[in-house]
Amino acid sequence: MVKLCVGCSSPEELAQWIDYRLEQLKAAGEKPEQYHITRMVPKRIDELLYGGSLYWVMKGNILCRQKFLDIRPFTDDEGIHRCKLVLEPKIIPTIWQPRRAFQGWRYLDGSEAPEDDNTSEKARLPAALKQELADLGLL
C-alpha cells in the first residue's frame, strides 16, 4: 500500500514523530503502538498483513516503508467508520521512487514496490541533500 506522508518531509522526521507519539501514548497509560487512521478499510487485508508494508510518499517520492502488524476497522465517536493501520514503528528506507500526488491510499503491486535501501546509514545521503539532487535532475 502506498500513501502520502502529510506533515513529514523525510524518513528521519517521520521516525522522530513516531518516537514522540509513542512516548505520548505511554504517558497517557495507553498501549504504545504506532498506527495511522484512515477512513477506508482495505479489502485485501490478508495480503497486507502477510508481508505487506505501507510505503510513504514524501515530497513526490516513495522514501521508506513500515511493515503492517494489524488492520482494525472501527467506528469513531461521531459514528464514522474508520480503520486503524497498525504499523511496526521501525522505518525501512527504500530506493527513491517518484510518485505523483494522490488522495487517500493506493494498493502497490509487489513488482512496482521499490527495493529497500541497504546502504549503511553512514554512507546514505541525507534526505534533504537527496531531494535537492533529485530536484536538479541528478538523481
Side-chain angles (χ1 to χ4, degrees):
M1 178 184 287
V2 63
K3 181 158 183 19
L4 297 179
C5 188
V6 178
C8 293
S9 58
S10 71
E12 295 82 11
E13 192 175 341
L14 177 60
Q16 290 172 354
W17 184 88
I18 291 168
D19 290 344
Y20 170 75
R21 183 70 181 126
L22 292 176
E23 286 301 319
Q24 280 186 319
L25 291 169
K26 282 182 198 174
E30 296 180 40
K31 184 178 180 180
E33 61 182 7
Q34 204 265 312
Y35 59 86
H36 179 77
I37 294 179
T38 185
R39 192 171 57 90
M40 302 302 292
V41 178
K43 303 273 189 259
R44 296 160 54 178
I45 291 175
D46 288 341
E47 289 177 52
L48 296 173
L49 289 180
Y50 297 104
S53 292
L54 178 59
Y55 287 80
W56 290 110
V57 176
M58 301 170 182
K59 292 192 167 188
N61 293 288
I62 295 176
L63 301 183
C64 61
R65 68 181 178 95
Q66 289 179 274
K67 293 180 182 178
F68 282 104
L69 297 178
D70 200 4
I71 296 175
R72 301 181 195 140
F74 70 98
T75 303
D76 69 13
D77 297 338
E78 298 173 2
I80 300 171
H81 297 290
R82 300 199 182 272
C83 184
K84 186 182 280 191
L85 306 174
V86 183
L87 305 165
E88 185 176 283
K90 180 183 176 191
I91 303 292
I92 302 167
T94 63
I95 303 297
W96 282 35
Q97 184 183 83
R99 200 47 82 151
R100 291 181 186 226
F102 58 92
Q103 291 183 339
W105 51 262
R106 302 284 184 268
Y107 289 110
L108 183 64
D109 187 88
S111 64
E112 297 174 4
E115 294 181 23
D116 292 348
D117 183 351
N118 294 318
T119 308
S120 73
E121 196 164 332
K122 283 185 175 183
R124 193 176 302 134
L125 291 174
L129 178 57
K130 269 187 160 178
Q131 185 63 53
E132 193 170 333
L133 292 170
D135 290 345
L136 294 170
L138 298 173
L139 278 182

